[in-house]
Amino acid sequence: MTRIAIYPGSFDPITRGHEDLISRSRRFADKVIVAVAVNSSKQPLFTLDERVQLIDAALEDEQAVEVRSFDGLLAEFARSVGARIVIRGLRAVSDFDYESQMALMNRKLYPELETVFLVPAVHLTYLSSSLVREVALLGGDVSAFVHPAVERALRAKVAR
Ligand code: PNS
């Protein structure tokens, strides 16, 4: 049986923290589908196509990783691709409330779906897409936090 995991999120944009969790997931999943949410409640900096392209660029060396976008319920998307594992990152205790609610709701909607929480490498625990966006838009150096393709894309947004 192929163990398919989905790693959902907004990825606005993908960071080294996301990349770290994807490679960790490959230790127990045969295939990881990075699932980019179309209907994020947030107003993204990058369009859906841009977010997918940047993930493709950042993950060019990863094996058995696919990038897909999805609209609607995560539980339904997981079912449609045959995934029974959802990956989510836990960086701090403050992440836990929202994450546990989401895991329980997803389990209610799709009982065979297990959420697996992963802790990123310690030097990446303070990273988030929103902080990276803020630092980049205010002219800070984000080269340590994102793939060079993402850094270039952020610079292009700042220049506009
Ligand atoms: O990176 P984010 O913004 O924390 O990701 C949140 C995301 C996209 C995983 C979550 O909002 C989601 O699953 N959205 C899809 C709609 C859905 O299924 N909502 C019910 C979740 S219990």
Side-chain angles (χ1 to χ4, degrees):
M1 195 178 97
T2 309
R3 283 162 308 175
I4 303 172
I6 54 174
Y7 180 36
S10 313
F11 302 101
D12 186 35
I14 185 168
T15 69
R16 292 294 192 199
H18 296 125
E19 292 172 41
D20 178 61
L21 291 197
I22 291 162
S23 57
R24 286 174 198 283
S25 307
R26 284 283 291 113
R27 294 177 182 169
F28 56 84
D30 301 309
K31 176 177 169 184
V32 176
I33 299 176
V34 180
V36 188
V38 174
N39 263 348
S40 178
S41 49
K42 306 158 191 171
Q43 184 60 48
L45 175 65
F46 290 100
T47 66
L48 180 68
D49 280 353
E50 287 170 333
R51 284 180 279 149
V52 169
Q53 278 169 22
L54 291 174
I55 297 168
D56 275 333
L59 301 179
E60 59 187 349
D61 297 328
E62 281 286 351
Q63 303 296 308
V65 177
E66 195 184 310
V67 186
R68 301 267 300 265
S69 56
F70 76 101
D71 206 353
L73 284 175
L74 174 65
E76 287 312 314
F77 178 71
R79 209 191 295 265
S80 74
V81 296
R84 291 185 168 202
I85 305 169
V86 178
I87 309 292
R88 292 289 288 173
L90 277 187
R91 291 161 302 187
V93 177
S94 50
D95 286 341
F96 186 75
D97 271 356
Y98 172 62
E99 293 298 335
S100 64
Q101 281 179 353
M102 224 166 46
L104 290 169
M105 179 58 83
N106 282 329
R107 180 183 288 162
K108 185 77 184 162
L109 296 169
Y110 178 11
E112 290 78 22
L113 193 63
E114 286 300 340
T115 301
V116 174
F117 295 114
L118 295 182
V119 175
V122 70
H123 69 284
L124 300 170
T125 44
Y126 63 95
L127 256 191
S128 68
S129 295
S130 56
L131 269 186
V132 166
R133 284 196 308 272
E134 186 174 335
V135 171
L137 292 175
L138 294 172
D141 177 8
V142 293
S143 57
F145 314 136
V146 295
H147 186 278
V150 177
E151 191 193 357
R152 282 194 295 277
L154 281 163
R155 271 213 221 100
K157 290 277 178 198
V158 175
R160 247 181 255 160

